[in-house]
Amino acid sequence: MPTLYRAEVIGSLLRPTYLKEGRQQWERGRLSTRDFKRIEDRAVDEAIALQQQAGVDVVTDGEMRRTHFIAPLTDVISGVKPIPAFKRVWKRPHEPNEPAVQTEIQVQYAVVDRIRRLRTLTSEEFTYARSHAHKPLKVTLPSPLMMTLRWSPQYSRDAYPDPFELFADAAEIVRQEAQELAALGCEYIQIDAPELGMLCDPDRRRQDFADAGIDPGRLLSDGIELLNSVAAVPGVTFGLHLCRSNNRGYYVGEGGYEAVARQVFGRARNIALMLLEYDDWRSGSFEPLREMPQDRGVVLGLISTKRKELESAESVVARIEEAARYYPREQLALSTQCGFGTVWEGNPISEAIELAKLSLVAEIAHQVWPQGATSI
């Protein structure tokens, strides 16, 4: 039976300065690969120790070996090339009655040829972390549908006239990673799918998908079937993380899960756990949880990795109880709403706040569910 861990993490942690500097030196040819790997190892050791100190029930390697959470579908495959930059508007978290602080972040890569995996990234992550973690370990993989952000009508059509052909090739790459992880003993894999969270926002559905030649409705039908194909690996519990994007403390999408709940929650039959962003008004109400099949675990992302202010335990407990009106309390768990370092630069908070947020997750989860992890 799949295990639901009450005090969860999402994946990435803040990269330490020495790791960023080491990668820069390695990329410039001023540091050997062997020496850079030792730097990565140190960063992973510290990431695992931080999570264990915080008291969460499951850990990751902090994605310290990645440039970005999507790295297994960009850094180690062929067919993705730099292109003339275009920009996407991102927003800072704000109250619903306040104007958003906005910035433009460049997007500079597109698929220009048939993609092919050059090497595995996650096998190295798992095998090293497995030998150092004293708690259950999970690995994160990007959703193959994240290639929506790498398919360009201008640059990609020669290789992939139909973007769903690209998504199918990406799904095969992610499935290979999952199969190899399972062979190494990995029992918990999280698929990160911010593109599904972005579909909650009507503006994003139009601008990022429909206007780019990608049918949003097909993402919720054919796309979910591709996710099911990835999550068909025996012996592995799969979780699906939905958010509205996370880049240096900015986000892209707004809107509740009503727009996708029936299709995502109902169609994703091979997904045992849903990890849902719910840290503020952008995610809407808990009512869409009524659409969740009764055999799932739901991890509520109630603690922000974007805001430096520490949430009160009382308010988080109250929100858990509110969610329990729509889905069984014993099938709920708690996490932060997203990772702390989904991109190399990380969110604008300190490592001390990162530790405090994870410790708060553990404190509240163990208060609400003193019996600990459970089978679902």
Side-chain angles (χ1 to χ4, degrees), residues 261-368:
R262 183 166 298 178
Q263 297 95 324
V264 176
F265 300 164
R267 287 179 180 269
R269 59 187 178 277
N270 291 339
I271 304 295
L273 307 175
M274 290 285 176
L275 300 96
L276 304 178
E277 180 180 72
Y278 260 123
D279 61 318
D280 63 17
W281 63 271
R282 294 176 302 115
S283 302
S285 76
F286 295 116
E287 191 167 354
L289 294 180
R290 294 186 190 275
E291 301 287 348
M292 191 73 67
Q294 291 299 304
D295 60 349
R296 303 286 170 80
V298 175
V299 182
L300 302 171
L302 297 175
I303 294 174
S304 175
T305 62
K306 294 177 171 64
R307 302 175 188 262
K308 63 182 180 181
E309 297 80 12
L310 197 63
E311 292 82 353
S312 74
E314 293 78 8
S315 66
V316 175
V317 171
R319 295 207 70 204
I320 293 171
E321 296 304 332
E322 182 184 354
R325 292 168 49 200
Y326 301 99
Y327 202 70
R329 188 173 181 271
E330 289 309 304
Q331 289 171 244
L332 299 176
L334 179 64
S335 72
T336 56
Q337 47 85 215
C338 200
F340 292 89
T342 53
V343 298
W344 188 248
E345 295 84 354
N347 285 356
I349 64 173
S350 68
E351 292 181 1
I353 293 296
E354 176 183 62
L355 174 58
K357 295 264 186 177
L358 290 175
S359 298
L360 185 62
V361 168
E363 172 194 336
I364 295 171
H366 297 154
Q367 171 190 337
V368 174

Side-chain angles (χ1 to χ4, degrees), residues 6 58 89 98 114 143 147 198 206 225 278 313 338 362:
R6 302 299 191 178
V58 61
V89 174
E98 297 176 352
R114 305 290 293 197
S143 161
M147 297 306 277
M198 290 165 63
R206 183 182 70 256
E225 288 307 314
Y278 260 123
C338 200

Side-chain angles (χ1 to χ4, degrees), residues 148-160:
T148 53
L149 304 183
R150 295 290 184 262
W151 188 86
S152 160
Q154 180 179 359
Y155 295 97
S156 307
R157 281 198 186 277
D158 287 346
Y160 292 101

